[in-house]
Amino acid sequence: MIEFPRPVVRLIRTLNEAGYEAYAVGGCVRDALLGRQPNDWDLTTSALPEQIKACFANRRVIETGIKHGTVTVLDGGIPYEITTYRLDGAYSDHRRPDSVEFVSDLKEDLRRRDFTVNAMACHPETGVVDLFGGQDDLRAGVIRCVGEPEHRFTEDALRILRALRFASTYNFAIAPATGRAALKLAPTLQNVSPERIFVELKKLLCGKGARRVLAEYSDILFTIFPALAPMRGCAQNNPHHAYDVWTHTLIALENAPADPVYRLTMLFHDSGKPAAHTVGEDGYDHFKGHPAISRDIAEAALFAMKSDRATMNRVLALITEHDLRIPAEPKSVRRQMARIGSDLFEALFPVFRADLLAQNPAMIPEKLRAEEALERVFREEVARNVCVKISDLAVNGRDLMALGITGPDVGRTLKTLLDKVVSEELPNEREALLAACQTRRPDA
Ligand code: ATP
Ligand code: MG
């Protein structure tokens, strides 16, 4: 039996007392049965939207989804979606079907849901309603369509990606017929809006089973991002690597923090390698300049997904710098801090680690030590509060103008002073900096 939060019990009771059926449904039942904390509790009811509203006349109610049968009721500041039993029409927008038909039977509502583990309802007194074997599949760790998989994926191709997403998040298998239908119908994902795809994709990438699921269903990912396909089978014959670019990518992804920015960064970080590939005189494979190509591939892909700007900018910056190789010395560290900013520099360490952990296993211990040494130097420089940007300098533009420096020379001089402070040719002290400007214009 699952434990219901008090507000959910209250909402269900209110609907029951008015003569309607009401249950918790979908993801919250699945998560509660798995012993996980549900993200949110959704309710399903035989009451029509107007009847739901009438039941909660004394509460704050949000009508955003009312055409689709959803009324959101606030309890203690937390929104609960209450949806009338319904059948779905086609899904063409981001989240909701174009048309819905309200029905009076819970069974019909559960049948429209995508997977058996998502098609259970639960009542605080009468317990779980499981008409499609959802509990068995939860126990066995299987994602299986409710009904005939090809039919269900044809109704809504996003379910193909949702199957992969749940398999990744819960580290579940995909039932054989469901998996075959997903692969067969993958090209129809082209009809799904990028926003809906991107939501599921980010969750898929962040799941525990992301590497396994993406290895088994690479072709589905490649229908979304065709530019990634050349990584598969792209050999890396050099001492640093032990796998082809695609296998390396999936291992790196698995080793990155479970955060969409990092997982997207690793997914694309080497996507430019196939195009950058050359064979050197040493007989080894080289991929000079690949980060810039990877960055462009990622930019086009994330743009197509209508990614938000913040995610996109961060991912592109991390990809651009992922191959940064510098000695673990204060001066080089400071120079890079000045070039890319401390914040981006710090964010790169998990990328470096994920990347090296997916390289030739024989070289991992040595590369890890080098990475740790670099990180230590970085942290020391940060702790010392070193000057790495113009606003850190002990002088500013006004000081230089007081010395008679004008126009673009002000910015240029500040930049030169910063370079000299970073390289420790000058101390970051006001007198010394002003003196350097007066005796000899530092950029002269
Ligand atoms: P999460 O915990 O990530 O929110 P969830 O299962 O709640 O997972 P939602 O996208 O919030 O996923 O959907 C809620 C429920 O609605 C699902 O559990 C499922 O029953 C149903 N559902 C959602 N999307 C679809 C779809 N595309 N096709 C059929 N049923 C769906
Ligand atoms: Mg949900």
Side-chain angles (χ1 to χ4, degrees), residues 57-74:
N58 58 347
R59 281 177 195 266
R60 259 197 72 198
V61 163
I62 306 166
E63 294 192 16
T64 38
I66 201 154
K67 276 210 296 286
H68 301 101
T70 301
V71 171
T72 300
V73 177
L74 282 155

Side-chain angles (χ1 to χ4, degrees), residues 6-8 10-11 58-60 73-80:
R6 293 192 141 274
V8 177
R10 269 200 300 271
L11 295 171
N58 58 347
R59 281 177 195 266
R60 259 197 72 198
V73 177
L74 282 155
D75 187 303
I78 299 172
Y80 296 92

